Amino acid sequence: MTPEFSRPERLDTIGEGERTVAIEAEAEERRRLAARFGIVAVDSLAATLTIRRDAGGILATGRVTGQVVQSCSITGDPLTVAIDEPLALRFVEPMAGEEEVELSADALDTVEIEGSAIDLGEAAAETMALALDPFPRGPDAAEALKRAGVVGEDEAGAVTGPFSALAELKKTLGG
């Protein structure tokens, strides 16, 4: 299946010298990305990446920027969110078998090369998706929770109920 925002770079065009590639999603691609990631809209999505080949594979570094609209996880209100994320990937040839590879802390995330190209658009889309807050809260979320009777963490200690006696016992016993 072709990704919604596909910008393939053929392997035979990538050399050891750095090359900058700028990509930007079109309206239909953004609409399909919003549907894929379950958000209201992707208003803009772009990336400026530097690519080059080295002994370990193909390096892609740069920034992914954009603007998306998510729904507040409490109220459902639309929230506009700015995206500005670094991207640092190493595209590698597929590994044979189920070998486990130890990576150092400063190692780049790796993506296996499929076919004769790397897809910079898909890399940008996935970077955008990883930057999204899975439970975004808008400015009215706290008030909506309060109206619904949900107690905040700061108020939880003042609540009385069936377990308040156990909490007091725990304090008494030094726990």
Side-chain angles (χ1 to χ4, degrees), residues 38-53:
I39 59 178
V40 176
V42 176
D43 292 336
S44 64
L45 177 61
T48 301
L49 306 171
T50 300
I51 57 173
R52 71 177 175 87
R53 188 180 296 271

PDB file of all heavy atoms in Angstrom, residues 38-53:
ATOM      1  N   GLY A  38      -6.307   9.729  12.898  1.00  0.00           N
ATOM      2  CA  GLY A  38      -7.458   9.966  13.761  1.00  0.00           C
ATOM      3  C   GLY A  38      -7.496  11.356  14.371  1.00  0.00           C
ATOM      4  O   GLY A  38      -7.866  11.509  15.531  1.00  0.00           O
ATOM      5  N   ILE A  39      -7.111  12.354  13.593  1.00  0.00           N
ATOM      6  CA  ILE A  39      -7.162  13.729  14.079  1.00  0.00           C
ATOM      7  C   ILE A  39      -8.096  14.530  13.174  1.00  0.00           C
ATOM      8  O   ILE A  39      -8.466  14.078  12.085  1.00  0.00           O
ATOM      9  CB  ILE A  39      -5.758  14.377  14.163  1.00  0.00           C
ATOM     10  CG1 ILE A  39      -5.053  14.385  12.805  1.00  0.00           C
ATOM     11  CG2 ILE A  39      -4.905  13.647  15.203  1.00  0.00           C
ATOM     12  CD1 ILE A  39      -3.679  15.042  12.806  1.00  0.00           C
ATOM     13  N   VAL A  40      -8.468  15.718  13.620  1.00  0.00           N
ATOM     14  CA  VAL A  40      -9.433  16.533  12.879  1.00  0.00           C
ATOM     15  C   VAL A  40      -8.874  16.962  11.526  1.00  0.00           C
ATOM     16  O   VAL A  40      -9.543  16.829  10.496  1.00  0.00           O
ATOM     17  CB  VAL A  40      -9.857  17.771  13.710  1.00  0.00           C
ATOM     18  CG1 VAL A  40     -10.789  18.674  12.910  1.00  0.00           C
ATOM     19  CG2 VAL A  40     -10.491  17.338  15.022  1.00  0.00           C
ATOM     20  N   ALA A  41      -7.651  17.492  11.516  1.00  0.00           N
ATOM     21  CA  ALA A  41      -7.077  17.995  10.260  1.00  0.00           C
ATOM     22  C   ALA A  41      -5.560  18.097  10.363  1.00  0.00           C
ATOM     23  O   ALA A  41      -5.006  18.244  11.455  1.00  0.00           O
ATOM     24  CB  ALA A  41      -7.643  19.379   9.938  1.00  0.00           C
ATOM     25  N   VAL A  42      -4.928  18.007   9.212  1.00  0.00           N
ATOM     26  CA  VAL A  42      -3.514  18.355   9.072  1.00  0.00           C
ATOM     27  C   VAL A  42      -3.524  19.588   8.176  1.00  0.00           C
ATOM     28  O   VAL A  42      -3.753  19.495   6.977  1.00  0.00           O
ATOM     29  CB  VAL A  42      -2.689  17.212   8.443  1.00  0.00           C
ATOM     30  CG1 VAL A  42      -1.245  17.654   8.225  1.00  0.00           C
ATOM     31  CG2 VAL A  42      -2.741  15.958   9.313  1.00  0.00           C
ATOM     32  N   ASP A  43      -3.343  20.751   8.782  1.00  0.00           N
ATOM     33  CA  ASP A  43      -3.387  22.004   8.023  1.00  0.00           C
ATOM     34  C   ASP A  43      -2.139  22.213   7.184  1.00  0.00           C
ATOM     35  O   ASP A  43      -2.205  22.809   6.105  1.00  0.00           O
ATOM     36  CB  ASP A  43      -3.585  23.191   8.970  1.00  0.00           C
ATOM     37  CG  ASP A  43      -4.957  23.187   9.616  1.00  0.00           C
ATOM     38  OD1 ASP A  43      -5.889  22.583   9.045  1.00  0.00           O
ATOM     39  OD2 ASP A  43      -5.100  23.789  10.702  1.00  0.00           O
ATOM     40  N   SER A  44      -0.999  21.737   7.678  1.00  0.00           N
ATOM     41  CA  SER A  44       0.241  21.823   6.904  1.00  0.00           C
ATOM     42  C   SER A  44       1.202  20.757   7.419  1.00  0.00           C
ATOM     43  O   SER A  44       1.141  20.361   8.579  1.00  0.00           O
ATOM     44  CB  SER A  44       0.880  23.214   7.019  1.00  0.00           C
ATOM     45  OG  SER A  44       1.284  23.472   8.351  1.00  0.00           O
ATOM     46  N   LEU A  45       2.052  20.276   6.516  1.00  0.00           N
ATOM     47  CA  LEU A  45       3.093  19.316   6.875  1.00  0.00           C
ATOM     48  C   LEU A  45       4.213  19.456   5.857  1.00  0.00           C
ATOM     49  O   LEU A  45       3.984  19.333   4.644  1.00  0.00           O
ATOM     50  CB  LEU A  45       2.564  17.881   6.885  1.00  0.00           C
ATOM     51  CG  LEU A  45       3.613  16.793   7.180  1.00  0.00           C
ATOM     52  CD1 LEU A  45       4.234  16.994   8.563  1.00  0.00           C
ATOM     53  CD2 LEU A  45       2.995  15.413   7.061  1.00  0.00           C
ATOM     54  N   ALA A  46       5.415  19.734   6.347  1.00  0.00           N
ATOM     55  CA  ALA A  46       6.574  19.897   5.481  1.00  0.00           C
ATOM     56  C   ALA A  46       7.807  19.368   6.193  1.00  0.00           C
ATOM     57  O   ALA A  46       7.815  19.220   7.426  1.00  0.00           O
ATOM     58  CB  ALA A  46       6.770  21.373   5.117  1.00  0.00           C
ATOM     59  N   ALA A  47       8.834  19.093   5.433  1.00  0.00           N
ATOM     60  CA  ALA A  47      10.107  18.666   6.011  1.00  0.00           C
ATOM     61  C   ALA A  47      11.242  19.169   5.132  1.00  0.00           C
ATOM     62  O   ALA A  47      11.118  19.215   3.905  1.00  0.00           O
ATOM     63  CB  ALA A  47      10.170  17.145   6.135  1.00  0.00           C
ATOM     64  N   THR A  48      12.313  19.553   5.781  1.00  0.00           N
ATOM     65  CA  THR A  48      13.553  19.871   5.088  1.00  0.00           C
ATOM     66  C   THR A  48      14.585  18.904   5.643  1.00  0.00           C
ATOM     67  O   THR A  48      14.876  18.921   6.847  1.00  0.00           O
ATOM     68  CB  THR A  48      13.975  21.331   5.333  1.00  0.00           C
ATOM     69  OG1 THR A  48      12.922  22.184   4.881  1.00  0.00           O
ATOM     70  CG2 THR A  48      15.255  21.659   4.582  1.00  0.00           C
ATOM     71  N   LEU A  49      15.078  18.042   4.769  1.00  0.00           N
ATOM     72  CA  LEU A  49      15.954  16.951   5.194  1.00  0.00           C
ATOM     73  C   LEU A  49      17.249  16.948   4.408  1.00  0.00           C
ATOM     74  O   LEU A  49      17.269  17.293   3.222  1.00  0.00           O
ATOM     75  CB  LEU A  49      15.236  15.611   4.996  1.00  0.00           C
ATOM     76  CG  LEU A  49      13.867  15.495   5.669  1.00  0.00           C
ATOM     77  CD1 LEU A  49      13.151  14.235   5.221  1.00  0.00           C
ATOM     78  CD2 LEU A  49      14.017  15.521   7.176  1.00  0.00           C
ATOM     79  N   THR A  50      18.300  16.538   5.092  1.00  0.00           N
ATOM     80  CA  THR A  50      19.586  16.335   4.450  1.00  0.00           C
ATOM     81  C   THR A  50      19.798  14.836   4.374  1.00  0.00           C
ATOM     82  O   THR A  50      19.669  14.134   5.379  1.00  0.00           O
ATOM     83  CB  THR A  50      20.714  16.995   5.261  1.00  0.00           C
ATOM     84  OG1 THR A  50      20.443  18.399   5.361  1.00  0.00           O
ATOM     85  CG2 THR A  50      22.070  16.784   4.604  1.00  0.00           C
ATOM     86  N   ILE A  51      20.102  14.336   3.182  1.00  0.00           N
ATOM     87  CA  ILE A  51      20.324  12.899   3.017  1.00  0.00           C
ATOM     88  C   ILE A  51      21.715  12.663   2.452  1.00  0.00           C
ATOM     89  O   ILE A  51      22.254  13.483   1.706  1.00  0.00           O
ATOM     90  CB  ILE A  51      19.256  12.244   2.108  1.00  0.00           C
ATOM     91  CG1 ILE A  51      19.206  12.892   0.734  1.00  0.00           C
ATOM     92  CG2 ILE A  51      17.889  12.292   2.768  1.00  0.00           C
ATOM     93  CD1 ILE A  51      18.289  12.191  -0.256  1.00  0.00           C
ATOM     94  N   ARG A  52      22.285  11.530   2.860  1.00  0.00           N
ATOM     95  CA  ARG A  52      23.584  11.117   2.327  1.00  0.00           C
ATOM     96  C   ARG A  52      23.814   9.657   2.677  1.00  0.00           C
ATOM     97  O   ARG A  52      23.218   9.127   3.621  1.00  0.00           O
ATOM     98  CB  ARG A  52      24.727  11.972   2.854  1.00  0.00           C
ATOM     99  CG  ARG A  52      25.065  11.759   4.307  1.00  0.00           C
ATOM    100  CD  ARG A  52      26.274  12.613   4.723  1.00  0.00           C
ATOM    101  NE  ARG A  52      26.526  12.505   6.134  1.00  0.00           N
ATOM    102  CZ  ARG A  52      27.274  11.572   6.695  1.00  0.00           C
ATOM    103  NH1 ARG A  52      27.845  10.639   5.958  1.00  0.00           N
ATOM    104  NH2 ARG A  52      27.458  11.545   8.000  1.00  0.00           N
ATOM    105  N   ARG A  53      24.654   9.039   1.914  1.00  0.00           N
ATOM    106  CA  ARG A  53      24.998   7.632   2.130  1.00  0.00           C
ATOM    107  C   ARG A  53      26.262   7.558   2.987  1.00  0.00           C
ATOM    108  O   ARG A  53      27.162   8.379   2.854  1.00  0.00           O
ATOM    109  CB  ARG A  53      25.231   6.966   0.771  1.00  0.00           C
ATOM    110  CG  ARG A  53      25.411   5.474   0.818  1.00  0.00           C
ATOM    111  CD  ARG A  53      25.624   4.924  -0.593  1.00  0.00           C
ATOM    112  NE  ARG A  53      24.467   5.122  -1.441  1.00  0.00           N
ATOM    113  CZ  ARG A  53      23.448   4.272  -1.561  1.00  0.00           C
ATOM    114  NH1 ARG A  53      23.449   3.162  -0.846  1.00  0.00           N
ATOM    115  NH2 ARG A  53      22.444   4.519  -2.377  1.00  0.00           N
TER     116      ARG A  53
END
